[in-house]
Amino acid sequence: MKLYIYEHCPFCSRVLYIARKLGVNLEEVVVGYDDVETPTTLIGKKKVPILVKDNGEVMAESGDIITCLLDIKMSNEVRTPSKQALDWQSRAFYTLIRIGYPRWSQFKLEEFSTKESRAAWIERKQSDTMFCIR
């Protein structure tokens, strides 16, 4: 199976964490941030993570992908996040993007390996309105 990801993406990290914990072998494909064609061809829009199963079936939501991996391994693990985890995520997400957005494209991450991918990130994610105080 192939998993299309961004290295900076928390949803991709969730899927990778679960896959590794379960011992599911995935071919990881890092998508360039400026690559609109690959995800759009697979799922109709620019979004990751994307799982392409061995039978050709394509999945795009991290929660659905995790459920699929749990099903493959016939795991009895809890399949939904706790209310505490969801509450923490809601509180932490805005802070994470305020810290991460200006910095991620400067890291040596494969999705930002070209000048075009860094420019696409800056154009899409680092607008003045993105960093207004709520």
Side-chain angles (χ1 to χ4, degrees):
M1 293 187 290
K2 281 186 183 179
L3 183 67
Y4 293 81
I5 64 167
Y6 295 141
E7 292 177 308
H8 74 274
C9 172
F11 301 102
C12 297
S13 296
R14 277 180 63 202
V15 171
L16 286 169
Y17 174 80
I18 296 297
R20 290 173 183 155
K21 184 172 170 108
L22 293 171
V24 176
N25 292 320
L26 297 172
E27 177 185 345
E28 295 173 34
V29 179
V30 178
V31 179
Y33 193 78
D34 62 332
D35 181 356
V36 176
E37 184 177 340
T38 299
T40 302
T41 299
L42 291 168
I43 62 166
K45 58 185 161 183
K46 184 181 183 313
K47 181 179 178 178
V48 292
I50 302 168
L51 178 69
V52 179
K53 295 167 64 174
D54 292 335
N55 66 3
E57 181 184 351
V58 180
M59 304 181 81
E61 293 294 327
S62 61
D64 294 341
I65 294 169
I66 288 169
T67 296
C68 173
L69 299 176
L70 290 167
D71 288 344
I72 287 169
K73 287 298 188 169
M74 293 183 265
S75 173
N76 292 329
E77 294 284 331
V78 174
R79 292 172 182 245
T80 56
S82 68
K83 180 175 178 348
Q84 290 171 314
L86 292 172
D87 289 346
W88 176 86
Q89 184 179 4
S90 293
R91 290 189 314 273
F93 188 74
Y94 188 71
T95 301
L96 173 65
I97 63 171
R98 288 194 47 113
I99 293 167
Y101 278 13
R103 293 168 176 82
W104 287 332
S105 66
Q106 302 306 310
F107 294 163
K108 292 185 187 277
L109 301 174
E110 193 172 334
E111 62 262 41
F112 302 125
S113 63
T114 67
K115 188 184 333 179
E116 294 81 12
S117 63
R118 285 188 302 279
W121 172 267
I122 290 167
E123 181 179 325
R124 182 156 185 226
K125 299 289 189 176
Q126 289 186 232
S127 69
D128 291 340
T129 57
M130 182 61 66
F131 298 103
C132 293
I133 302 290
R134 289 208 254 174

